[in-house]
Amino acid sequence: MAKVYYIDFHTKSGKNMLQKLKNLIEEAGIEKINFEKRHVAIKIHFGEPGNLAYIRPNYARVIVDKIKSLGGKPFLTDCNTLYVGRRNEGLNHLETAYENGFSPFSTNAHVIIGDGIKGTDDIEIPINLEYVKNAKIGRAIADSDIIISMNHFKGHESTGFGGALKNLGMGCGSRAGKMEMHSSGKPRVNEVMCRFCKKCAEVCAHQAITYLATNKAKINQDLCVGCGRCIGACAFNAIKPIWNESEEILVKKIAEYSLAVVKGKPNFHINFIMDVSPNCDCASYNDVAIVPNIGILASFDPVALDKASVDMVNAAPAVEESLLKQKKYHQDKFKMLHPDTKWEEGLIYGEKIGLGERKYELIKVK
C-alpha cells in the first residue's frame, strides 16, 4: 500500500507553513533520492495572469533549497500550451512566470520552458501502450535526471480535477504531445487568421501544407501525421487541433504520458489542496474555492497521491459561496462541477499500467 504523507494548514510561532512543508517532504522520504550533481526538473504550473489560485513561489523555494542542500541542480519548468494565452510560446511563458513571482531571486532556481520557444522542442519516449506509442515530452524535462511535481489540486473542465497526473502528463507534453492527448484527429487551418507567412510549411516534414489561390494555408489530411509542429510555428494562432477526444480516453492518455515522464527516473510528488478553484489555473481568472483549504500531501506514488486528494476534497464541507452550493449536493464534488468527466478511469488505468496504486495509507505529519 502506497504511503501518502499529509500536513494541515494550522501554524504556530516557530512553525510556519514553509517549515511544515520542509518537514513534510523529509518525512515523506525525499532524501532517499540521490540528487548529487543531477539535473532535477520541478514541474509546476506558473499560473495564467489574472488567475491567483496557483501555488505561491515561496513553496517552490522550499523544494529548491532542499534539493540544492542534497547536491541537486533543480530548475522550475512547464511546457507551452495549445490554446491562445500568455503561456503558448516560450518568451511569453517566461514573462508570465516572472510576473507571477517565479524568478531566480524569489525561488533560487532558473525557469526553463520545457519544450522551447515555440513548443516544438521535444523528445519522443517509447512506451508502446494502448493509446500512445511514443510520448512527445518537452526536451528539458526528458533530459532531466529526476522529476519532482508540485501540483495545485483543483477542478478541471475536462479531467474533473487537476493533480499530479494532469501536471505530469498534460503539463510535460510538448504542444504536439498535448494535441495527441486532446485530439484523435489532425490540426486544421482557420483561414481568417492565416497571414500567408509560410512558416508552417517550412517546419512540415511531410509536405502536408500547401496554399490556396486565396493565399491561405491548407493541410492535406492524408499526408499530415499529426505531429503538431505547424501549431508551434504559427505566430497568428491560425492552426488549431480538433478537440475531439472522449473524456475517458483523454484521462487514459494523460496517464500514459505521466508514465513516460517518470519512466526510469526517481520521482516525487506534492499536491497542494488549497484555493481549490472549480476550474484549471489555465484560465485567466479563478472562482471562489469549492472547499476550505485542506493541506499539502506528498508521496512517491502519483496515483495514490491523487486518490487521497480526491477523497479529502470529497470528505470536506462545501464552501457556502462556491459553485457547489449552487448545485444539488452529492458526494463527488468534481462530477458535480463537471458531469461529463471520467476522472476515476484515469486513476484505474494509471494503476493498470504500473504508474502507481489507488490504495494508500494516509500519514499525518506534525
Side-chain angles (χ1 to χ4, degrees):
M1 187 179 298
K3 288 180 167 54
V4 177
Y5 293 79
Y6 154 67
I7 56 172
D8 59 29
F9 282 103
H10 290 291
T11 60
K12 59 184 178 181
S13 178
K15 201 168 190 180
N16 61 37
M17 282 308 300
L18 301 181
Q19 293 165 324
K20 288 184 71 172
L21 175 59
K22 181 174 182 289
N23 191 30
L24 170 69
I25 62 175
E26 289 173 346
E27 288 290 323
I30 196 170
E31 293 176 338
K32 296 176 183 177
I33 298 174
N34 177 16
F35 288 100
E36 187 65 30
K37 298 186 183 303
R38 304 176 84 183
H39 291 93
V40 184
I42 301 177
K43 174 61 180 72
I44 194 168
H45 192 304
F46 299 117
E48 193 73 17
N51 188 309
L52 299 176
Y54 58 87
I55 298 171
R56 293 175 179 84
N58 313 62
Y59 290 117
R61 177 66 182 256
V62 173
I63 308 304
V64 168
D65 286 350
K66 182 61 185 180
I67 292 170
K68 285 191 172 183
S69 75
L70 297 171
K73 303 169 72 175
F75 62 94
L76 304 178
T77 189
D78 196 5
C79 287
N80 293 303
T81 63
L82 268 180
Y83 56 82
V84 178
R86 289 279 304 279
R87 298 179 303 113
N88 72 334
E89 60 92 32
L91 296 182
N92 284 342
H93 205 157
L94 274 174
E95 290 177 358
T96 292
Y98 296 152
E99 183 178 320
N100 284 345
F102 294 94
S103 75
F105 305 104
S106 60
T107 65
N108 198 25
H110 291 289
V111 173
I112 299 176
I113 304 306
D115 56 348
I117 295 175
K118 295 185 177 181
T120 57
D121 190 14
D122 57 22
I123 292 178
E124 292 196 3
I125 297 178
I127 50 176
N128 294 313
L129 292 171
E130 184 174 351
Y131 301 99
V132 178
K133 302 307 177 187
N134 296 287
K136 304 169 184 69
I137 305 301
R139 184 176 297 272
I141 297 169
D143 280 345
S144 66
D145 303 305
I146 298 168
I147 303 293
I148 307 291
S149 70
M150 295 182 63
N151 319 298
H152 177 218
F153 198 82
K154 70 282 183 186
H156 190 276
E157 301 84 333
S158 297
T159 60
F161 66 83
L165 267 62
K166 177 69 165 52
N167 194 27
L168 286 167
M170 187 63 72
C172 292
S174 65
R175 295 188 79 176
K178 288 179 172 65
M179 187 179 76
E180 181 175 35
M181 284 180 273
H182 276 297
S183 175
S184 59
K186 298 170 184 179
R188 299 290 193 276
V189 176
N190 181 335
E191 293 186 14
V192 174
M193 301 180 74
C194 178
R195 295 295 182 270
F196 194 53
C197 69
K198 298 188 177 182
K199 294 294 183 183
C200 54
E202 291 177 9
V203 300
C204 181
H206 304 278
Q207 290 77 50
I209 300 177
T210 55
Y211 294 91
L212 302 171
T214 54
N215 290 338
K216 302 296 183 179
K218 180 180 180 180
I219 299 176
N220 184 324
Q221 298 296 302
D222 293 329
L223 296 178
C224 176
V225 298
C227 72
R229 294 194 177 277
C230 56
I231 298 174
C234 181
F236 303 101
N237 296 302
I239 303 178
K240 300 180 183 298
I242 306 301
W243 304 75
N244 63 350
E245 197 58 275
S246 72
E247 307 292 23
E248 180 175 344
I249 295 178
L250 172 63
V251 294
K252 288 181 177 181
K253 285 183 175 181
I254 288 173
E256 292 186 351
Y257 260 72
S258 297
L259 186 64
V261 171
V262 302
K263 181 181 177 182
K265 297 179 180 180
N267 56 95
F268 184 85
H269 313 281
I270 311 161
N271 276 3
F272 292 74
I273 313 180
M274 56 190 292
D275 301 318
V276 185
S277 49
N279 297 315
C280 182
D281 293 344
C282 294
S284 59
Y285 59 89
N286 58 284
D287 203 73
V288 174
I290 60 174
V291 294
N293 289 347
I294 293 174
I296 306 175
L297 284 64
S299 180
F300 285 100
D301 187 321
V303 174
L305 184 66
D306 276 357
K307 182 62 168 65
S309 300
V310 169
D311 290 346
M312 294 183 82
V313 169
N314 281 336
V319 170
E320 189 70 32
E321 296 80 11
S322 75
L323 293 178
L324 284 177
K325 282 298 184 179
Q326 300 174 26
K327 300 175 181 289
K328 186 177 179 180
Y329 185 81
H330 59 77
Q331 180 72 15
D332 190 333
K333 294 180 173 65
F334 298 109
K335 278 203 169 181
M336 186 184 344
L337 291 167
H338 309 294
D340 295 331
T341 183
K342 303 289 185 183
W343 67 257
E344 309 102 315
E345 298 301 323
L347 298 185
I348 293 170
Y349 188 68
E351 184 172 49
K352 177 182 176 181
I353 63 176
L355 182 59
E357 58 182 315
R358 287 176 293 155
K359 290 184 178 180
Y360 61 88
E361 176 187 1
L362 188 63
I363 303 168
K364 187 168 184 180
V365 176
K366 297 181 179 180

